[in-house]
Amino acid sequence: MLIKNISLLYGVELTYIQNTNVRISGKNIEQIGVKITPKKNEIVLDCEGILMMPGLINSHTHIGDSIAKDIGIDSDVEEKIHPVSGFKQKVLKNSTKSHLTSFIKNSCISMMKKGITSFIDFREGGLDGVSLLKNSSTDIPIRSIILGRAEYYQDVQSIKKNTPIPPYHIQHIQNLLMNCDGLGISGPNEFSNSALTSFAKTTKIRAIHSAETEESNQISKKITGKTETQRALLVKPNFLVHMTYASKKDLAMAVRNKASIVVCPRANGSLAEGIPDVDLMLEAGCNVAIGTDNVMINSPDVFREMDYLWKVSMGMKKKRLEAKDILKMATTNASNILGKKIGVVQNNKIADCIFIEKHSIDLEPMHNPHASIVQRASENTIRAVMYEGEIVYGKI
């Protein structure tokens, strides 16, 4: 397939190119340049007036709770989503698989239509939870990166005694990892240092919630004398989720340990738990990506997430962030977490792309493409979505 006369957000820096041609071969982007000519019998699409950009990556979701939208909206964070006692867990346990499957499918379709071509899900429920998500999303053209959860938690005394994970649960974790892409760990306050170190020995993706609330940070210091982030880094995570109350020292430690950060600003805002200091994270040299978190409290819409983060950050800090930096969080920065084959429009990368209608009533005139996408783009401005080299939604 040859796509002609397309505008482009190119490479890891999302450089704007006004007009070029792109050849797609199989699942990959084969060639980009103004001098590409059609091959014999090649499909040629003239895309004058369209902007091609990387497919969005939603770097933190819990879509298993799609059945529980807006339940207990006035409850606090612990009442809602505590991994053991939260009423989210009660709703999931009391819901049939068929109902859970139906609403998970809806969330996957919703994300795909909003230009999300990949998402990273913290999948509760052990092997059953992993299987549920796999079965729900298998026929939908979206890439699910599933981080399973070992349904094992330790109490305060076990943490103080530094109790290791029992052999039975170690075996359960090993079985879990044979069926998913890695571990999505609830948080350091549920585990001893010994347990956290055990997680670090696994070989797939490792991620953990950290410093989401002031209270969780205080609990960590009270029980162990360490910040949540200090203890979360014992996991040697590929990325830390939230970091809403991470200190400058915490962020420096994350950089030294090569741990990326995934922020979920609308979820934090909806839970009345503050807004992550992305400006401070970027100053520290962190690789920052973005996610939408639990569907029960937030819609899985990365366009809305970027718009919210850009404006609320500037409103609170009275310092302007670059729109391109926000857009990179949903594309190329997330690509760094996932092996750099997706989230970038470049030769030899997987062809996951969004085609934006530049003349959309909400975007025209597009004087600053990065700002226009971050604060004005939506599902309504998408002409088409491409997944692994095929148009799976819309038409160009």
Side-chain angles (χ1 to χ4, degrees):
M1 178 190 303
L2 180 60
I3 299 169
K4 296 187 66 177
N5 302 317
I6 192 87
S7 295
L8 196 64
L9 294 184
Y10 172 79
V12 295
E13 290 301 318
L14 300 176
T15 303
Y16 180 67
I17 298 173
Q18 175 67 33
N19 188 280
T20 192
N21 304 323
V22 180
R23 172 167 283 130
I24 308 295
S25 180
K27 295 182 179 181
N28 296 331
I29 298 167
E30 181 182 299
Q31 193 177 4
I32 299 172
V34 293
K35 296 183 179 180
I36 303 174
T37 56
K39 296 178 180 179
K40 186 178 180 180
N41 298 324
E42 184 174 33
I43 296 170
V44 179
L45 301 173
D46 191 331
C47 289
E48 178 71 35
I50 298 176
L51 172 64
M52 181 179 180
M53 61 171 283
L56 300 172
I57 300 173
N58 191 346
S59 291
H60 184 61
T61 64
H62 294 263
I63 69 167
D65 59 19
S66 298
I67 198 171
K69 294 181 182 78
D70 301 326
I71 289 179
I73 198 164
D74 295 322
S75 302
D76 65 29
V77 61
E78 290 296 299
E79 289 176 311
K80 283 183 179 178
I81 57 175
H82 189 278
V84 177
S85 59
F87 57 70
K88 163 183 170 172
Q89 307 306 327
K90 297 173 185 176
V91 171
L92 297 183
K93 287 177 182 177
N94 290 310
S95 298
T96 65
K97 281 188 177 181
S98 62
H99 281 127
L100 292 171
T101 297
S102 176
F103 288 104
I104 290 172
K105 277 182 176 289
N106 286 348
S107 290
C108 288
I109 293 168
S110 173
M111 286 193 284
M112 183 267 294
K113 288 183 176 181
K114 292 175 174 65
I116 296 166
T117 52
S118 301
F119 68 99
I120 308 175
D121 196 75
F122 269 39
R123 187 77 315 275
E124 299 98 337
L127 278 170
D128 287 342
V130 169
S131 296
L132 181 67
L133 178 51
K134 282 184 176 180
N135 293 335
S136 300
S137 61
T138 187
D139 59 346
I140 300 168
I142 191 168
R143 184 175 297 101
S144 57
I145 295 96
I146 303 173
L147 305 185
R149 170 132 353 137
E151 297 297 331
Y152 168 75
Y153 306 97
Q154 294 176 311
D155 58 23
V156 172
Q157 291 307 311
S158 297
I159 293 170
K160 287 182 175 180
K161 291 178 181 178
N162 200 27
T163 305
I165 298 176
Y168 168 79
H169 288 288
I170 292 287
Q171 183 61 53
H172 176 70
I173 291 167
Q174 292 172 349
N175 293 340
L176 184 71
L177 286 170
M178 291 174 65
N179 293 277
C180 62
D181 301 294
L183 287 177
I185 302 159
S186 57
N189 287 343
E190 280 84 47
F191 299 102
S192 67
N193 286 356
S194 174
L196 294 170
T197 303
S198 295
F199 294 137
K201 296 175 183 176
T202 60
T203 57
K204 292 188 174 182
I205 297 171
R206 295 180 298 276
I208 183 168
H209 296 109
S210 181
E212 181 177 5
T213 69
E214 286 184 297
E215 183 183 7
S216 62
N217 247 347
Q218 291 166 0
I219 289 171
S220 180
K221 290 176 183 177
K222 182 178 179 181
I223 295 173
T224 68
K226 303 288 185 182
T227 68
E228 266 196 287
T229 302
Q230 283 177 288
R231 299 192 65 241
L233 288 169
L234 293 173
V235 172
K236 296 183 180 178
N238 297 85
F239 63 93
L240 302 152
V241 180
H242 295 304
M243 298 290 277
T244 316
Y245 291 94
S247 67
K248 212 169 181 179
K249 185 177 178 181
D250 288 333
L251 297 175
M253 284 190 294
V255 172
R256 285 198 301 273
N257 284 271
K258 299 180 180 178
S260 296
I261 294 171
V262 175
V263 297
C264 305
R266 281 192 304 147
N268 296 150
S270 69
L271 291 167
E273 292 295 346
I275 302 298
D277 193 337
V278 170
D279 184 57
L280 189 64
M281 294 174 184
L282 295 176
E283 283 182 5
C286 300
N287 181 61
V288 185
I290 196 166
T292 60
D293 207 359
N294 301 72
V295 178
M296 71 178 289
I297 57 174
N298 198 30
S299 60
D301 187 335
V302 172
F303 285 125
R304 291 181 69 181
E305 205 73 40
M306 290 190 292
D307 182 33
Y308 179 84
L309 175 61
W310 196 38
K311 289 169 181 170
V312 78
S313 295
M314 292 187 289
M316 293 177 67
K317 298 281 287 185
K318 295 180 173 58
K319 180 179 178 182
R320 183 162 293 281
L321 289 172
E322 292 292 329
K324 184 192 285 189
D325 287 337
I326 301 293
L327 190 54
K328 286 169 69 175
M329 290 166 58
T331 54
T332 62
N333 290 2
S335 175
N336 290 336
I337 296 174
L338 296 173
K340 303 182 180 181
K341 288 294 288 182
I342 60 175
V344 186
V345 176
Q346 200 170 341
N347 289 354
N348 302 315
K349 304 296 185 183
I350 293 175
D352 291 351
C353 307
I354 312 172
F355 296 86
I356 300 289
E357 176 58 70
K358 291 168 64 178
H359 301 303
S360 163
I361 193 170
D362 291 328
L363 299 182
E364 189 177 38
M366 189 184 278
H367 296 300
N368 182 323
H370 302 103
S372 292
I373 292 166
V374 166
Q375 72 168 339
R376 301 180 191 278
S378 68
E379 181 178 346
N380 293 333
T381 62
I382 293 175
R383 173 77 76 86
V385 177
M386 175 178 283
Y387 176 74
E388 296 188 346
E390 293 187 13
I391 300 297
V392 295
Y393 176 66
K395 185 178 180 180
I396 56 175

